[in-house]
Amino acid sequence: MRTILVTGESGGVPEVAAATALHAAGRGRRTLLVAADDSHRRLDDLLGHRLSAEPQQIADGLWAARIDEQQAFRQAVAGLDGRLRSGYDLLGVEPLDDDELTALPGTRHLALLRALRQPPGTWDVLVAAAPPPAELTAALALPEQLDRYLARLLPEQHQAARSLRPMLAALVGMPMPADWIYQARGWAAGELAAAREVVESPATTVRLVADAGGSTAAGLRRARAGLALFGHRVDAVVAHRALPAAALASSDPWLAALAASERDRLDGLALDVPLLVGDQLAEQPSELARQLYGEGPGPEPAEVWPWTAEDRLAQDGVLIWRLTVPGADRADLELMRRGDELVVGLGPYRRILSLPSALRRCTVAGAGLRDGELTVRFAPDPELWPRS
């Protein structure tokens, strides 16, 4: 399934998401449009339908739904509740009823991840009107972060004595705590793995929406660097509500100069991905779709950037780990070695990366950031490096 996450700081995200979904459906692909961040229900107005949690058909090949955080939270609790039932009995506590459950902070992120996990074969394309870039990055990073917490707090090797637990449970007459704890852990690990499969898929990309009259190239670069840090690919930048191209040839010198100045500024928003421009005359999603995508297929998933380790021991006495983070600014960069992990910070974004096995036996010898590529140099630790 092709997944397109439309995000941006401007107000044009619902319009671009609707246009993108209509374009995909018009090309004969079964498309689901998900309203994941549309507090003003702009998509309802654009599509002429009041969206609900259940997908409803809007046009030929196009269905749309709105994320219901409350419902998603209850479904998540219900999935976990059955696995904790024996634990409730063991502790002598009563589980919460459905009408007692209210969404907690962070539920919106979980609801988005659940919405992205559609049954295989149901849709060809999923388009989400997603939260702003910083919030979207945090949501997409959640499966990896929670997976790491599970591995640290409930490591699988602690189940080594599993064969003894049934005998101990029979002796004490009640389930052993590890049984229900690890049942819940196994369920959570499966849920996280399913979410990561979608989030990390090469067919999942992000489309950045910029306000033609106010967005800055610096803001787009920061957003792209944060997404790239977590391995997410931006396939295009959409400049929304630009002056019409005809304004460049206007007989009004002021309007022509304004259009030329805007066009020069828009050229700086392209980064190194396609720049799609929609003008102020496109009031309907179908009109905007024709402006942005025409009759073509639209932007395809960008190339996956490999993070590679290079052996330069013979030439320079170091190993080099290269991480591609287009748009990153040296002033925002923070690096910290923590055991077998490297903590990389780019402004408000922070990711903990496990080092490849060879680099764990090295010390950090320096780092550099140039043209969107972060290179970290590692020197072999004499006490850990194998001797020839």
Side-chain angles (χ1 to χ4, degrees):
M1 181 179 68
R2 177 80 162 91
T3 302
I4 303 171
L5 304 170
V6 181
T7 180
E9 299 290 351
S10 73
V13 169
E15 287 85 349
V16 174
T20 302
L22 278 171
H23 174 262
R27 293 180 59 81
R29 310 188 71 182
R30 287 174 58 86
T31 303
L32 175 63
L33 172 61
V34 175
D37 185 62
D38 185 26
S39 58
H40 298 292
R41 290 189 170 269
R42 176 64 176 150
L43 278 174
D44 292 21
D45 299 334
L46 291 169
L47 300 174
H49 288 76
R50 186 170 181 82
L51 304 185
S52 63
E54 294 300 321
Q56 54 181 299
Q57 189 164 8
I58 303 300
D60 290 342
L62 176 62
W63 285 257
R66 179 175 299 281
I67 287 182
D68 186 330
E69 297 177 35
Q70 185 70 27
Q71 179 180 333
F73 179 68
R74 288 179 175 176
Q75 289 175 345
V77 171
L80 187 60
D81 182 70
R83 291 157 180 83
L84 295 180
R85 183 70 59 178
S86 59
Y88 293 150
D89 297 338
L90 182 64
L91 298 174
V93 299
E94 291 290 333
L96 294 171
D97 296 328
D98 281 352
D99 56 5
E100 295 181 271
L101 296 172
T102 56
L104 299 174
T107 301
R108 189 158 112 158
H109 295 172
L110 296 174
L112 172 59
L113 293 173
R114 179 175 286 272
L116 297 182
R117 289 173 46 201
Q118 296 293 320
T122 307
W123 313 104
D124 300 317
V125 179
L126 186 150
V127 179
E135 187 176 344
L136 174 62
T137 304
L140 298 180
L142 198 56
E144 179 182 276
Q145 293 172 343
L146 293 179
D147 207 18
R148 181 174 176 273
Y149 295 157
L150 279 181
R152 288 288 298 272
L153 300 176
L154 293 171
E156 292 184 357
Q157 56 266 34
H158 283 187
Q159 302 182 70
R162 181 182 302 171
S163 60
L164 297 177
R165 291 203 294 271
M167 181 172 58
L168 294 174
L171 289 175
V172 300
M174 63 179 65
M176 297 302 293
D179 285 331
W180 56 270
I181 289 176
Y182 282 102
Q183 283 178 10
R185 184 212 188 278
W187 172 81
E191 293 289 300
L192 293 174
R196 291 187 70 171
E197 185 177 357
V198 177
V199 168
E200 298 174 3
S201 169
T204 297
T205 58
V206 178
R207 199 157 294 176
L208 288 175
V209 179
D211 185 342
S215 296
T216 64
L220 289 175
R221 283 196 295 269
R222 281 193 295 271
R224 185 169 187 212
L227 289 162
L229 177 61
F230 288 90
H232 308 307
R233 291 164 295 284
V234 173
D235 62 12
V237 172
V238 178
H240 182 57
R241 292 201 171 278
L243 290 171
L248 289 168
S250 172
S251 58
D252 183 340
W254 178 84
L255 180 58
L258 182 64
S261 175
E262 181 184 78
R263 186 62 54 172
D264 289 341
R265 194 167 60 78
L266 289 180
D267 290 341
L269 301 181
L271 306 179
D272 59 346
V273 297
L275 174 67
L276 310 175
V277 181
D279 66 39
Q280 298 175 0
L281 300 181
E283 297 183 355
Q284 298 299 321
S286 55
E287 298 173 5
L288 181 59
R290 285 193 292 270
Q291 283 193 3
L292 297 179
Y293 309 119
E295 299 300 325
E300 294 297 325
E303 180 182 357
V304 177
W305 304 301
W307 291 3
T308 59
E310 180 182 353
D311 184 348
R312 296 188 60 84
L313 291 175
Q315 301 92 329
D316 305 315
V318 296
L319 295 153
I320 296 179
W321 198 21
R322 301 183 185 277
L323 298 88
T324 306
V325 281
D329 190 320
R330 186 190 302 268
D332 294 332
L333 179 64
E334 295 181 16
L335 289 175
M336 182 179 69
R337 171 76 178 269
R338 185 181 179 278
D340 292 339
E341 299 170 329
L342 185 69
V343 182
V344 183
L346 287 175
Y349 307 99
R350 182 175 298 268
R351 188 180 184 187
I352 300 176
L353 299 167
S354 295
L355 292 172
S357 57
L359 301 184
R360 297 176 185 178
R361 299 190 294 270
C362 300
T363 58
V364 176
L369 177 62
R370 183 176 181 181
D371 297 331
E373 183 179 72
L374 172 63
T375 57
V376 187
R377 300 185 298 278
F378 292 84
D381 186 335
E383 297 182 0
L384 300 176
W385 195 258
R387 297 183 181 183
S388 58

